[in-house]
Amino acid sequence: MAVIRIGILGASGRMGRLLIREVAAGKGFALSGATEAKGHRAIGQDAGVLAGLFRLGVAVSDDAAALMAASDVVIDFTLPAVTVRHAKLAAKAGTAMVIGTTGFAPAEVKAIAAAARRVPIVQAPNMSLAVNLLFALTKRAAAVLDATYDISISEIHHREKRDAPSGTALALGAAAQAGRKKKGKPAKIPMVSIRAGDTAGEHTVLFAGEGERLELAHKATSRQVFARGAVFAARWVKGKPPRLYDMADVLGLG
């Protein structure tokens, strides 16, 4: 089996370091490079040491274009505007991409879709395999339960998360609305967001009817599950035709 060369964008961030660890530990992967913004203090450091591992012999650089050229797939958990720049570079280089960044503006969404016309891109608001199964279960529950069941979503994340509601909560809302539309009445879904402590991520979808309620919930106890799912997606997307994919495609849930 050919080794998949994976590059990590935003190497010094919380997710960047976890991604480096996941690639280093995985079979059939090689860390092709890691980047940070120009002037960042991580530039020149060994990526393995930066991630709390042994030396990997891969120095962190500020050259995203060179990383694209050296990689089969790049993974990006940075910031929306930065991710858009990276997507344009990936499209130019012909490099597949996995995007875990959330909080995009409409124009940024269009820019990523344009890049996906030239290279395969997996984009998802949450890379956890179990959360993506939760999307499918939510859609199914909304399709089965009628409009007498009120739907609401709550989510909790660490205090540093910038977007609220989370991308995952919005995706759960979209899944519920898609299911409810099958019954002819799209749902208006209230959402509650809490930012506190170091919570990796908790999401609950509540279906409340007369005399009963159904709760579908997911709790991430470690952010490593997001890195694991992203690397899983990177293995899957290599060699796929240009298109914008999501984790439902990766998991065969579509």
Side-chain angles (χ1 to χ4, degrees):
M1 182 175 66
V3 172
I4 300 174
R5 301 171 300 160
I6 298 179
I8 306 301
L9 297 151
S12 73
R14 184 183 287 111
M15 282 305 304
R17 286 174 280 150
L18 290 176
L19 287 163
I20 291 169
R21 296 176 70 91
E22 193 67 27
V23 172
K27 293 182 179 179
F29 304 124
L31 183 67
S32 53
T35 63
E36 260 301 345
K38 291 184 184 298
H40 196 283
R41 62 185 179 183
I43 302 298
Q45 293 185 40
D46 184 90
V49 174
L50 180 66
L53 299 172
F54 48 86
R55 291 185 64 83
L56 294 174
V58 176
V60 177
S61 81
D62 60 7
D63 193 340
L67 179 66
M68 304 292 176
S71 305
D72 296 310
V73 186
V74 293
I75 304 177
D76 188 313
F77 280 75
T78 57
L79 295 170
V82 178
T83 298
V84 168
R85 292 199 297 270
H86 290 160
K88 291 177 180 178
L89 289 173
K92 185 176 181 179
T95 305
M97 191 172 186
V98 174
I99 296 174
T101 309
T102 60
F104 292 101
E108 293 168 332
V109 171
K110 290 181 180 179
I112 291 172
R117 290 195 285 270
R118 299 178 61 184
V119 292
I121 296 177
V122 175
Q123 181 183 10
N126 191 310
M127 289 291 170
S128 159
L129 304 185
V131 160
N132 283 276
L133 179 57
L134 178 61
F135 294 149
L137 294 173
T138 297
K139 181 177 179 180
R140 177 61 176 159
V144 171
L145 299 174
D146 64 26
T148 63
Y149 287 80
D150 299 317
I151 306 173
S152 61
I153 295 170
S154 61
E155 54 99 352
I156 307 173
H157 281 88
H158 56 91
R159 63 172 66 94
E160 296 177 6
K161 184 170 179 59
R162 300 185 182 187
D163 53 321
S166 68
T168 301
L170 293 173
L172 287 168
Q177 288 172 335
R180 186 56 59 85
K181 283 178 181 178
K182 291 185 176 181
K183 304 184 78 66
K185 185 178 180 182
K188 183 177 181 180
I189 301 172
M191 297 186 185
V192 176
S193 299
I194 297 174
R195 298 289 175 264
D198 63 351
T199 306
E202 298 183 10
H203 295 85
T204 301
V205 185
L206 173 66
F207 296 85
E210 294 294 330
E212 65 177 350
R213 68 178 185 235
L214 170 67
E215 294 183 15
L216 301 177
H218 177 271
K219 296 182 180 181
T221 57
S222 168
R223 293 180 184 85
Q224 196 67 43
V225 298
F226 309 133
R228 189 173 304 126
V231 173
F232 186 95
R235 184 194 297 276
W236 180 89
V237 78
K238 181 180 181 293
K240 292 292 188 295
R243 206 191 97 188
L244 188 59
Y245 299 93
D246 60 21
M247 288 298 284
D249 296 309
V250 175
L251 297 174
L253 296 173

